[in-house]
Amino acid sequence: MQPSLIELPKHLDLRGNLSFIEEDTHLPFKIKRVYWIYDVPGGEVRGGHAFKETEELIVALSGSFDVILHDGEKEYKFSLNRSYYGVFIPKMMWRGLENFSTNSLAVIVSSTNYDADDYIRNFDDFIKQKKLT
């Protein structure tokens, strides 16, 4: 699978807009975990790893940031700044989040529970494992 930008539903209302995620409608996986990243100091980068089995959807609920992905051969860049767009990240995809704006909030919807053994934290090791698959 390739990474992709997913447009989520957007219901406009004068009282405020509403968007949502449904696992059987908007995601190609069942939701096991949801976590968020916030208060990222200027210039910091999050991520810097890949998952062997985990698939994710990343949404910028507030502010903006870039999602940089690498599949072992090609790099992808997604700039998120709207809460009704998310980036789908398939398993075995190196990821980094950077260029966080002030007060940005990233929510990540994950296909697995936390498992330290699912992480690949070294890019060279990631490339070696990609070549084996």
Side-chain angles (χ1 to χ4, degrees):
M1 294 186 88
Q2 295 294 318
S4 58
L5 192 64
I6 294 175
E7 186 170 1
L8 300 168
K10 179 175 63 168
H11 294 279
L12 304 177
D13 190 303
L14 294 176
R15 301 167 297 162
N17 302 330
L18 180 136
S19 290
F20 56 91
I21 300 168
E22 295 176 343
E23 67 183 4
D24 293 327
T25 306
H26 308 114
L27 299 175
F29 58 83
K30 297 286 185 191
I31 298 170
K32 290 287 191 172
R33 180 170 60 124
V34 177
Y35 61 98
W36 43 99
I37 299 171
Y38 57 98
D39 293 341
V40 178
E44 288 297 320
V45 175
R46 297 295 311 231
H49 59 268
F51 291 114
K52 298 171 195 167
E53 297 300 326
T54 301
E55 298 176 302
E56 293 184 324
L57 179 75
I58 299 177
V59 179
L61 288 185
S62 180
S64 63
F65 53 87
D66 295 330
V67 179
I68 311 298
L69 305 173
H70 201 289
D71 66 6
E73 295 179 9
K74 181 179 176 185
E75 184 174 280
Y76 304 82
K77 180 179 178 181
F78 297 90
S79 296
L80 295 178
N81 61 7
R82 298 282 185 244
S83 59
Y84 50 88
Y85 284 110
V87 175
F88 167 69
I89 305 174
K91 64 183 178 179
M92 289 302 290
M93 182 78 54
W94 190 265
R95 82 269 326 275
L97 283 72
E98 59 186 41
N99 297 323
F100 286 87
S101 68
T102 302
N103 295 323
S104 59
L105 170 60
V107 66
I108 298 93
V109 179
S110 179
S111 67
T112 63
N113 293 322
Y114 174 79
D115 179 0
D117 292 332
D118 191 35
Y119 283 76
I120 304 170
R121 298 187 183 275
N122 178 284
F123 187 75
D124 291 335
D125 292 342
F126 165 71
I127 294 298
K128 288 176 191 172
Q129 288 193 36
K130 283 294 283 194
K131 289 180 179 177
L132 295 174
T133 58

